[in-house]
């Protein structure tokens, strides 16, 4: 049975105002921030390592632009330490919050900015997931899946810094990107089976950022990943989520699988690695060419088997079995299959994940 598609009663799109992608441009960040929001004082959230690499250049640049700053170190991304950082940042009395780092610092800064109703700027120093430009955060101890915060007012990227980050982070970013093709198919299912709102523009934009990785993977295998291409694709995916007003175009059953693993085996595998492996299995369930997903991930140097990320078969089976229950309202291919541990193992084996 096919329902008519329900129009959304109200749909707010919040988009980044300015996105800069440059090379060796970290020393110009002060200028960027000044033009964007003209703040007197900013609060920065970063990890220890990133602070060491960027502190001097960022500080000098901010001072040149007459912007005062206070740095905060994010130790872990659990809700308790995020609350502590939020408490400290509130006392800064700053006009803008900057997340500078990989996933964790950007996520924490984004959530704090949302809670304190301040504008937020994202300065990613690795390209491991699409949270760089999206309005969503995943903080441990919150919900098992990502929650809506605020879209960044600006995104500032220095490709040179991202090039120096570990290779597996960039490969993980590709896993998060190919996932979009699973997510969009799940979204179409939701539209067809429940009449859920489906945004074609957002869906196409998210698919396009996955296709660019799929279509160029042969070249990436030969010459290595093109950092700028991956960064642009991840930003586009984040913008697709902004346009959709939900994570729908970038997060389907493969993300539910990844979130289930976050819960069952915290610390095993990176977000994008788990989404990539999940995508191979969900592609098979959806009737997509799962071998194409496997090949792309291999080409970019991302893991395609449970063993490669240190995941055992029992945990994998459990994750597949509980995944849909983590977010019952989100219609995915897993709604159409009564997943059991036995079926889960068979699926993983048939797609060479096990
Ligand atoms: Zn993701």
């Amino acid at each position: 049975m096919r329902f008519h598609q329900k129009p959304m009663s109200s749909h707010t799109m919040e988009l980044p105002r300015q996105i800069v992608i440059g090379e060796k441009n970290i020393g110009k960040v002060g200028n960027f921030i000044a033009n964007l929001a003209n703040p007197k004082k900013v609060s920065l959230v970063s990890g220890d390592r990133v602070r060491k690499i960027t502190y001097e250049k960022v500080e000098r640049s901010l001072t040149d632009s007459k912007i005062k700053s206070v740095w905060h170190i994010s130790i872990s991304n659990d809700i308790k330490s995020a609350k502590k950082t939020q408490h400290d940042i509130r006392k800064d009395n700053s006009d803008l919050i900057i997340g500078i780092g990989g996933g964790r610092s950007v996520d924490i800064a984004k959530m704090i900015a949302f809670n304190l109703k301040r504008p937020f700027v994202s300065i990613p120093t690795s390209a491991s997931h699409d949270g760089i430009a999206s309005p969503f955060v995943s903080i441990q101890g919150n919900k098992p899946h990502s929650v809506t915060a605020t879209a960044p007012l600006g995104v500032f990227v220095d490709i040179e810094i991202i090039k120096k980050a570990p290779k597996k982070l960039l490969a993980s970013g590709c896993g998060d990107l190919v996932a979009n093709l699973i997510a969009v198919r799940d979204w179409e299912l939701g539209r067809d089976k429940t009449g859920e709102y489906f945004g074609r523009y957002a869906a196409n934009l998210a698919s396009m950022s996955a296709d660019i990785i799929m279509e160029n993977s042969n070249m990436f295998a030969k010459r290595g990943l093109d950092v700028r291409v991956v960064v642009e694709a991840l930003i586009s995916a984040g913008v697709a989520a902004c346009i959709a007003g939900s994570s729908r175009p970038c997060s389907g059953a493969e993300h539910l699988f990844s979130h289930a693993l976050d819960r069952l085996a915290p610390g095993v595998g990176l977000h994008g690695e788990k989404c990539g492996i999940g995508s191979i299995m969900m592609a098979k369930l959806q009737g997509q060419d799962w071998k194409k997903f496997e090949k792309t991930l291999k080409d970019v140097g991302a893991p395609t088997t449970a063993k490669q990320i240190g995941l055992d078969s029992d945990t994998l089976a459990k994750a597949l079995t509980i995944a849909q229950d983590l977010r019952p309202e989100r219609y995915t291919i897993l709604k159409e299959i009564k997943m059991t541990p036995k079926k889960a193992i068979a699926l993983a084996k048939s797609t060479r994940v096990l």
Side-chain angles (χ1 to χ4, degrees):
M1 172 166 167
R2 192 178 160 146
F3 294 84
H4 278 291
Q5 192 184 331
K6 288 176 218 150
M8 252 189 177
S9 51
S10 151
H11 187 177
T12 308
M13 290 185 205
E14 206 183 56
L15 296 162
R17 192 191 297 165
Q18 210 172 71
I19 297 170
V20 167
I21 304 173
E23 251 167 277
K24 297 187 180 160
N25 59 338
I26 191 71
K28 296 193 177 115
V29 68
N31 207 3
F32 171 78
I33 304 280
N35 287 334
L36 186 67
N38 195 25
K40 286 196 175 66
K41 191 178 182 185
V42 296
S43 302
L44 294 106
V45 181
S46 79
D48 222 4
R49 191 186 71 88
V50 167
R51 185 188 146 118
K52 276 195 189 99
I53 320 172
T54 60
Y55 182 80
E56 226 175 283
K57 283 181 180 150
V58 171
E59 271 303 293
R60 196 182 310 141
S61 182
L62 289 172
T63 309
D64 287 348
S65 294
K66 300 185 173 47
I67 300 168
K68 289 197 192 101
S69 61
V70 189
W71 288 67
H72 300 266
I73 299 292
S74 61
I75 305 150
S76 81
N77 74 335
D78 62 70
I79 195 94
K80 218 178 124 202
S81 80
K83 284 249 164 78
K84 161 93 175 68
T85 309
Q86 179 171 319
H87 184 80
D88 295 343
I89 286 183
R90 194 191 290 273
K91 286 190 279 190
D92 290 350
N93 256 323
S94 55
D95 321 295
L96 183 118
I97 297 168
I98 300 172
I100 173 166
R104 188 207 301 152
S105 304
V106 169
D107 261 9
I108 289 176
K110 198 192 289 176
M111 192 194 75
I112 292 172
F114 176 69
N115 290 342
L116 299 181
K117 299 188 172 58
R118 310 258 171 85
F120 161 70
V121 167
S122 163
I123 307 181
T125 56
S126 68
S128 60
H129 64 84
D130 61 22
I132 297 171
S134 85
F136 303 100
V137 291
S138 29
I139 303 280
Q140 277 163 32
N142 222 327
K143 287 203 172 159
H145 50 80
S146 52
V147 294
T148 310
T150 187
L153 181 68
V155 183
F156 187 90
V157 184
D158 183 342
I159 295 282
E160 202 57 29
I161 294 177
I162 294 189
K163 275 185 188 158
K164 286 182 188 141
K167 285 265 177 306
K168 69 184 262 186
L169 296 177
L170 201 59
S172 169
C174 293
D176 208 18
L177 283 168
V178 300
N180 295 356
L181 294 171
I182 306 296
V184 166
R185 190 62 71 88
D186 277 339
W187 198 6
E188 287 168 348
L189 277 178
R191 171 197 65 194
D192 295 345
K193 300 290 174 67
T194 72
E196 178 187 341
Y197 164 81
F198 177 81
R200 227 177 114 188
Y201 183 82
N204 287 355
L205 186 58
S207 299
M208 212 159 71
S209 58
D211 285 338
I212 199 158
I213 303 301
M214 300 285 260
E215 285 161 14
N216 292 298
S217 78
N218 273 334
M219 192 187 73
F220 294 149
K222 274 189 220 125
R223 293 189 219 151
L225 273 166
D226 185 329
V227 175
R228 186 179 282 264
V229 167
V230 178
V231 168
E232 285 179 358
L234 287 169
I235 291 175
S236 301
V239 170
C242 289
I243 292 168
S246 84
S247 62
R248 219 14 170 149
C250 309
S251 169
E254 79 299 330
H255 267 70
L256 294 179
F257 168 70
S258 170
H259 296 320
L261 288 177
D262 293 343
R263 180 177 276 200
L264 297 172
V268 170
L270 297 169
H271 171 76
E273 293 177 337
K274 290 181 275 194
C275 292
I277 291 170
S279 295
I280 300 173
M281 295 188 285
M282 301 311 163
K284 169 117 198 245
L285 293 180
Q286 290 176 334
Q288 298 203 60
D289 182 1
W290 62 269
K291 286 182 183 157
K292 215 175 135 192
F293 285 82
E294 185 197 42
K295 182 188 179 305
T296 300
L297 291 169
K298 275 189 181 159
D299 281 346
V300 301
T304 58
T305 68
K307 202 176 157 200
Q308 282 173 297
I309 61 167
L311 176 63
D312 64 84
S313 59
D314 282 352
T315 311
L316 177 138
K318 181 97 201 281
L320 279 173
T321 316
I322 67 163
Q324 180 68 65
D325 295 336
L326 294 182
R327 197 164 191 177
E329 80 286 1
R330 176 153 289 187
Y331 196 97
T332 78
I333 187 66
L334 290 171
K335 282 266 189 206
E336 310 200 335
I337 286 138
K338 259 217 134 349
M339 190 55 82
T340 60
K342 210 177 145 193
K343 277 191 203 165
I345 296 288
L347 173 65
K349 283 194 169 154
S350 71
T351 48
R352 301 194 276 254
V353 168
L354 274 181

